[in-house]
Amino acid sequence: MLNGKLVRLPGLADVHVHLRVPGGEHKEDFFSGTAAALAGGFTTILGMPNTQPPLVTYAAWHKAQQQANLQSLCDVHLYAGASPEHLESLPDLGRDAVGLKIYMDQTYGPLRITGLSTLLSCFQRWPHHKPIALHAEGRSVAVGIGLAAAFNRPVHFCHISRKAEIELIAQAKEQGLPVTCEVTPHHLFLSDADIPRLGTLGDMRPTLASKQDVDALWAHINTTVDCIATDHAPHTLEEKLGPDSPPGVPGLETALPLMLTAVAEGRLTLERLVALMAHNPRRIFNLPHQEQTWVDVDLGHKHTLTNAGLYTKCGWSPFSGMKVTGEIRWVQFRGHTVFKNGRILANLC
Ligand code: NCD
Ligand code: ZN
Ligand code: ZN
Ligand code: ZN
């Protein structure tokens, strides 16, 4: 019976993770963040540059990437961040970083590009073949599509959460524009109706949206949506429940069980899940293939998500208490068993 429900998936890739190094190591570090990734079935993750200091110069990015290479249990590729003060760094960063992250709207961290001329400079200086990922909300999505069209180059939209945004991206794709997008599990499985229950634990950017927005994301899950990305954004409970609560929620360890639940409910096929969580992210970001790397999941296992036993340093989840169908049993990474039956077995070599 149990064996009948075991299925082997490729190692998943999450293109949107905050690992908090440097400067936020009390929230997460490369070791804890990649342990959480493996426990969640992700063997490749892309780390965001909104650290303290942010990864906006070659020296800062390179130091963090080297540290990641030494302290991570799975593959970590760090984005470079766009900053108006360091536009001259972009060609060097463009050689080695996995992509450029541009924050067009207000969120956690120091990075933001507001002026059109600065945006233009970023697009002029970043290599044409290297990914650009945008934090763009509302009308900023239209600006990003305009830049993709004007420069005829790929642009990836992070955490798309609103009906109008996903419909605009669908329209752009219909016109043949080179745009892609990711959607997070929290925008698929939570809505603004959960805010009274969750309080600040339900606060992130983009904020949780209406039921109509959530329905629109699901309506595009088999077409317009390219990737499921977690936007794993850990902050401690003390920070989240205190004054000036920062936006962001963790998600690495809950994304696959939630998406498997959607498969069990017939909202998408397992093949589509693998496209959204492995093949498409690897293709869009040109991520290297990993030999002998796979994730065995039990499709039938029903359980309730809890905060207990999480590997993320922040130790909580906005999905705690939710019932899911599907569990990660065994993760193999380059020929080594790195996670089995709830335990991380990986070592730093
Ligand atoms: C992210 C963070 O905490 O770094 N927070 C969030 O609410 N999503 C920043 C971001 O991804 O915009
Ligand atoms: Zn963002
Ligand atoms: Zn983020
Ligand atoms: Zn269980």
Side-chain angles (χ1 to χ4, degrees), residues 16 18 20 48 50 101 103 106-109 135 137 159 186 203-206 231-235 246-249:
H16 192 148
H18 298 271
R20 306 302 191 202
M48 286 296 172
N50 62 332
K101 177 67 182 286
Y103 292 88
Q106 190 57 54
T107 185
Y108 178 74
H135 178 126
E137 299 188 39
H159 45 44
H186 49 266
D203 182 40
M204 75 293 288
R205 299 295 172 274
D231 190 10
H232 177 83
H235 300 285
V249 297

Side-chain angles (χ1 to χ4, degrees), residues 2-290:
L2 188 66
N3 280 342
K5 293 171 181 169
L6 276 185
V7 172
R8 183 158 292 180
L9 311 177
L12 306 181
D14 186 352
V15 302
H16 192 148
V17 176
H18 298 271
L19 291 165
R20 306 302 191 202
V21 182
E25 291 86 349
H26 63 289
K27 301 171 193 273
E28 200 77 286
D29 58 32
F30 291 126
F31 187 82
S32 63
T34 54
L38 291 175
F42 295 99
T43 55
T44 302
I45 57 178
L46 271 52
M48 286 296 172
N50 62 332
T51 50
Q52 196 57 255
L55 310 184
V56 295
T57 62
Y58 190 84
W61 174 85
H62 187 252
K63 186 169 178 227
Q65 183 66 64
Q66 281 196 311
Q67 197 177 338
N69 296 347
L70 291 171
Q71 299 175 350
S72 297
L73 300 173
C74 68
D75 285 353
V76 172
H77 306 278
L78 298 178
Y79 284 93
S83 150
E85 287 85 37
H86 296 282
L87 296 171
E88 78 290 346
S89 304
L90 292 179
D92 281 346
L93 285 164
R95 242 186 12 247
D96 292 348
V98 72
L100 177 67
K101 177 67 182 286
I102 304 178
Y103 292 88
M104 297 176 69
D105 297 293
Q106 190 57 54
T107 185
Y108 178 74
L111 295 178
R112 188 164 176 200
I113 303 279
T114 47
L116 181 61
S117 60
T118 315
L119 266 179
L120 188 63
S121 298
C122 294
F123 273 72
Q124 287 164 338
R125 287 166 204 223
W126 194 251
H128 192 264
H129 65 283
K130 276 283 185 99
I132 292 182
L134 300 181
H135 178 126
E137 299 188 39
R139 288 191 291 185
S140 299
V141 174
V143 174
I145 290 171
L147 288 162
F151 282 82
N152 185 29
R153 56 118 53 240
V155 169
H156 178 79
F157 290 92
C158 299
H159 45 44
I160 288 299
S161 67
R162 298 304 196 264
K163 182 172 190 279
E165 296 170 355
I166 196 73
E167 289 179 351
L168 180 58
I169 290 173
Q171 179 66 28
K173 286 184 170 200
E174 223 165 276
Q175 299 304 311
L177 295 177
V179 295
T180 55
C181 70
E182 67 188 39
V183 166
T184 70
H186 49 266
H187 292 119
L188 288 169
F189 290 89
L190 299 171
S191 73
D192 58 11
D194 294 293
I195 295 176
R197 178 176 63 85
L198 290 170
T200 51
L201 297 186
D203 182 40
M204 75 293 288
R205 299 295 172 274
T207 54
L208 291 176
S210 71
K211 175 82 167 55
Q212 289 91 309
D213 292 314
V214 175
D215 289 346
L217 298 182
W218 280 110
H220 286 264
I221 200 81
N222 288 308
T223 51
T224 316
V225 179
D226 295 283
C227 308
I228 300 298
T230 63
D231 190 10
H232 177 83
H235 300 285
T236 65
L237 267 180
E238 197 184 354
E239 291 166 335
K240 289 294 281 185
L241 301 175
D244 301 317
S245 176
V249 297
L252 280 169
E253 291 161 271
T254 45
L256 183 53
L258 287 167
M259 292 308 295
L260 288 172
T261 305
V263 170
E265 291 168 350
R267 308 179 92 168
L268 76 167
T269 65
L270 194 59
E271 289 68 32
R272 182 65 186 162
L273 180 153
V274 170
L276 291 168
M277 301 183 83
H279 299 327
N280 293 351
R282 287 187 189 282
R283 187 190 68 248
I284 294 164
F285 287 86
N286 307 306
L287 303 176
H289 174 73
Q290 298 171 313

